[in-house]
Amino acid sequence: MSSKLQLTTLAVLVSAALPAQAALYKVVEVAPGVSGNEVYGTAIQPGATTDPKGCFVDDCADGASYKLAGETRNRPDGFSYREEVPFAMDNSFAYIEDDYDGFEDYCFYQLGYATCEYWASDRWSSWYNETYSSNTPNSLAFIEGSAEKPSGAINTVINSLDPSGQPVGNFSTSSKRNEAFSAVTNSTLTSKAQSRAWASDGTYTVGSTSSKSGIGGERYYYSSAPAIWSGSDFVSIPRAGGYEVDGDYFAQGSMRDFYIDSAGGKTYGVGYNNYSDQHMNATIFIGNSATPTSATWRSALIYNAQVDISGDNINSNSVATNINKNLVVVGQAKRSGGFPQNGAASNRLFIVPDASASSINASFFYGGIFFDGAGGEMGGINNFNEIVGRIDSENHREYDGKQRRQRAFIYPYGMTPKTDSSEESAITARRAIFKNKAWLLDDLTNGGSESSNNNQYRIYDASDINDAGVISATAVKCSGGYDSTSHNAYCGDGNGTEKVVAVKLVPIAGSDASAIEPRSYDSTATERKGAGLGFGALTILGLFGFMRKRIK
């Protein structure tokens, strides 16, 4: 009898002898309504419930009140459809100008994998198609089964949903690599060579605009700047330092999220800006008015996450991705290929507890599931300071090796300096549901009446979370269920077909910390055979990645 079978049999016997557990989340697969080999969940509609504990008390059923946005892929992006520059770091455009060799150089110098030929070939073929060939659509966007395709769009991405469930994102056309779209339209955007929209409250939208289209003969050498606009006003945020063009480098900037502090008379935006030596650093944008388009703006660099630390380019980039009403900021900083940490040039996740503090410093996630040098991708944060994203679930050496496998997580951070005292009890109660610590979300979908359905999925990425506690995510699915409930279980004894699907994670009403039943690990190493995942969820680094500054 194999060790895997022994463990599976033992697990069944043990589970039969124990009281049923309820898990914390129900996994709800979302039909895309568009074609595509792989389907990704990218955003969830904002919203709350009448009870502060959200769907953990109020029964949200399948989460139908909160729309999920997503996208499909038939192949990897040549480089990300949502980022301002290639690989989100190449502001000299040197890598992308070198065609296939540039893709391989980027992987070699900035990622360090032993598999760079495969990595580069996969992405170069997509870039070639998008640039020189048929330009066949690859990224089709949807909201709850309905296609979202602006007029003339080729590839479309949705970065977020506004409070009414309207998409916020950008799309490519035959003449522009990126054009912003949201419910908030402004005529100034159409005059820009490129534009991107990242977040909106229904009145204001934030993003960036660029000086060239990024299409055809203008696909290289353009600069971008952070921007915020309403239906009648448009503001471009000044650069924090440097020049629009400095030698071979072009200034870049982007605002990714914002919060209007009406009581304090200020607006806070987050993203990145251009600094000296054309470094693209995580930034908090501070406007001196609660009317963003009337404000005077300044940029506050987030220290500890910047590119240049003590004279060395320790990081190749950094970006602040999200801010909530407690002025908590989260983001990520890509470790430079010249300064790997714990065997990897990883994309480390950070938090700034108070955007209004006189000194802005990033603290990197550490402890528990966040080991030293762990890389990942930030997803989002809600107003209960619950953070989601994905993180390395393996810690082998990536440099001269293979990519680490990643899994989705939730991190109930807890109190912060600007937390409203009236909400402290709610945050404390919600944090207690998670035993006051971070978890891989796979551990929170195990057990109880939902176990059979949930065991069809392993949650790869968590892209967004709302105040009701509903999460937009991407999962790997084995129809009918994996061979056991373990983290590394086989699909059909290694011969089954897995696919990448968009899912909602909906809290199960009545569940609490006592429902948590962590998944085990089978002792036999999992080697998936079958149709597998193609370029899929277990090996993607660049789909939502944010990596910068060329170093050789």
Side-chain angles (χ1 to χ4, degrees):
M1 182 181 289
S2 72
S3 60
K4 181 169 75 69
L5 182 57
Q6 288 174 337
L7 283 169
T8 302
T9 303
L10 179 60
V12 171
L13 292 173
V14 170
S15 64
L18 293 174
Q21 301 295 319
L24 287 187
Y25 293 96
K26 176 192 300 185
V27 182
V28 179
E29 186 174 346
V30 176
V34 292
S35 62
N37 293 337
E38 300 183 344
V39 186
Y40 297 83
T42 62
I44 199 74
Q45 182 179 354
T49 63
T50 56
D51 193 282
K53 285 189 179 180
C55 298
F56 288 106
V57 171
D58 290 341
D59 188 355
C60 296
D62 287 344
S65 297
Y66 310 103
K67 298 177 181 178
L68 178 141
E71 301 157 13
T72 64
R73 293 291 189 278
N74 293 314
R75 57 183 186 274
D77 304 6
F79 68 84
S80 174
Y81 301 126
R82 49 181 30 93
E83 298 290 353
E84 277 75 20
V85 292
F87 312 123
M89 63 82 66
D90 186 16
N91 59 339
S92 70
F93 298 88
Y95 284 128
I96 202 71
E97 189 177 30
D98 290 342
D99 292 333
Y100 170 82
D101 290 341
F103 280 81
E104 189 173 17
D105 282 350
Y106 168 76
C107 180
F108 181 79
Y109 290 112
Q110 284 297 326
L111 304 178
Y113 305 148
T115 56
C116 281
E117 288 186 6
Y118 167 78
W119 188 97
S121 178
D122 220 17
R123 286 152 182 79
W124 157 246
S125 62
S126 285
W127 171 242
Y128 184 90
N129 178 75
E130 294 159 16
T131 309
Y132 305 112
S133 188
S134 62
N135 207 14
T136 303
N138 184 35
S139 181
L140 302 180
F142 65 91
I143 300 176
E144 290 287 317
S146 298
E148 292 292 329
K149 186 177 181 182
S151 178
I154 299 172
N155 291 307
T156 306
V157 296
I158 297 176
N159 294 316
S160 63
L161 294 175
D162 72 14
S164 63
Q166 296 301 303
V168 182
N170 52 272
F171 62 95
S172 63
T173 68
S174 59
S175 60
K176 291 186 178 182
R177 179 167 177 81
N178 284 288
E179 186 165 338
F181 72 101
S182 72
V184 181
T185 59
N186 186 292
S187 59
T188 302
L189 291 174
T190 59
S191 68
K192 301 292 185 179
Q194 290 193 75
S195 58
R196 296 164 179 80
W198 283 88
S200 179
D201 65 358
T203 301
Y204 299 97
T205 299
V206 297
S208 67
T209 59
S210 300
S211 60
K212 287 187 177 181
S213 72
I215 293 292
E218 293 193 329
R219 65 184 179 274
Y220 307 134
Y221 317 132
Y222 50 83
S223 63
S224 61
I228 184 167
W229 61 89
S230 65
S232 56
D233 297 299
F234 177 91
V235 175
S236 182
I237 309 298
R239 295 182 184 87
Y243 307 92
E244 181 177 5
V245 182
D246 185 5
D248 294 333
Y249 293 88
F250 293 76
Q252 308 293 334
S254 178
M255 192 181 294
R256 301 299 177 84
D257 198 7
F258 71 108
Y259 176 71
I260 299 175
D261 180 10
S262 298
K266 292 184 178 181
T267 302
Y268 294 88
V270 297
Y272 72 92
N273 207 345
N274 182 77
Y275 290 80
S276 60
D277 294 329
Q278 300 298 79
H279 292 159
M280 300 152 66
N281 288 327
T283 296
I284 296 173
F285 304 100
I286 303 171
N288 64 354
S289 171
T291 303
T293 52
S294 299
T296 299
W297 290 86
R298 66 181 179 90
S299 296
L301 184 147
I302 298 177
Y303 289 95
N304 296 337
Q306 75 270 31
V307 171
D308 188 330
I309 298 177
S310 301
D312 290 317
N313 287 353
I314 300 298
N315 295 308
S316 61
N317 79 91
S318 59
V319 59
T321 57
N322 304 92
I323 185 172
N324 69 6
K325 72 176 185 179
N326 302 317
L327 302 187
V328 181
V329 176
V330 292
Q332 54 204 33
K334 168 66 172 65
R335 193 82 177 185
S336 168
F339 292 89
Q341 180 183 11
N342 193 21
S346 56
N347 201 43
R348 298 178 299 158
L349 309 183
F350 68 76
I351 188 167
V352 177
D354 181 6
S356 67
S358 57
S359 179
I360 306 296
N361 295 282
S363 297
F364 289 96
F365 291 5
Y366 184 72
I369 63 173
F370 306 113
F371 60 84
D372 184 33
E377 200 70 34
M378 188 60 71
I381 182 172
N382 64 14
N383 289 315
F384 292 95
N385 297 341
E386 294 163 346
I387 304 165
V388 297
R390 72 176 188 260
I391 197 70
D392 288 341
S393 59
E394 301 173 325
N395 64 357
H396 61 254
R397 182 180 179 84
E398 282 192 324
Y399 238 73
D400 299 322
K402 63 179 182 179
Q403 288 177 262
R404 295 168 177 164
R405 186 168 299 178
Q406 296 185 332
R407 284 292 186 263
F409 72 87
I410 185 167
Y411 182 11
Y413 190 76
M415 303 302 171
T416 54
K418 293 295 183 180
T419 300
D420 190 308
S421 59
S422 66
E423 296 178 346
E424 288 184 2
S425 60
I427 290 178
T428 299
R430 286 180 68 135
R431 193 165 187 256
I433 294 171
F434 303 97
K435 298 184 179 180
N436 304 314
K437 65 178 184 178
W439 291 89
L440 297 181
L441 281 164
D442 280 338
D443 284 325
L444 307 183
T445 63
N446 187 35
S449 61
E450 291 296 330
S451 186
S452 178
N453 173 69
N454 286 359
N455 193 45
Q456 297 182 101
Y457 305 93
R458 294 296 181 267
I459 313 303
Y460 164 67
D461 183 46
S463 57
D464 197 8
I465 182 170
N466 64 18
D467 289 346
V470 182
I471 298 168
S472 60
T474 300
V476 185
K477 181 182 182 181
C478 175
S479 294
Y482 285 90
D483 294 355
S484 75
T485 60
S486 67
H487 279 287
N488 57 338
Y490 284 90
C491 177
D493 200 30
N495 296 305
T497 299
E498 297 169 289
K499 62 180 181 178
V500 179
V501 297
V503 297
K504 290 179 186 178
L505 301 184
V506 184
I508 299 171
S511 293
D512 58 21
S514 67
I516 297 175
E517 185 179 348
R519 296 183 187 274
S520 62
Y521 285 89
D522 288 340
S523 60
T524 304
T526 298
E527 181 183 352
R528 290 178 170 86
K529 300 171 185 176
L533 297 177
F535 72 89
L538 301 183
T539 56
I540 293 175
L541 185 63
L543 180 58
F544 301 106
F546 199 94
M547 297 158 252
R548 287 199 171 84
K549 188 106 179 121
R550 186 182 192 184
I551 297 175
K552 284 194 174 183

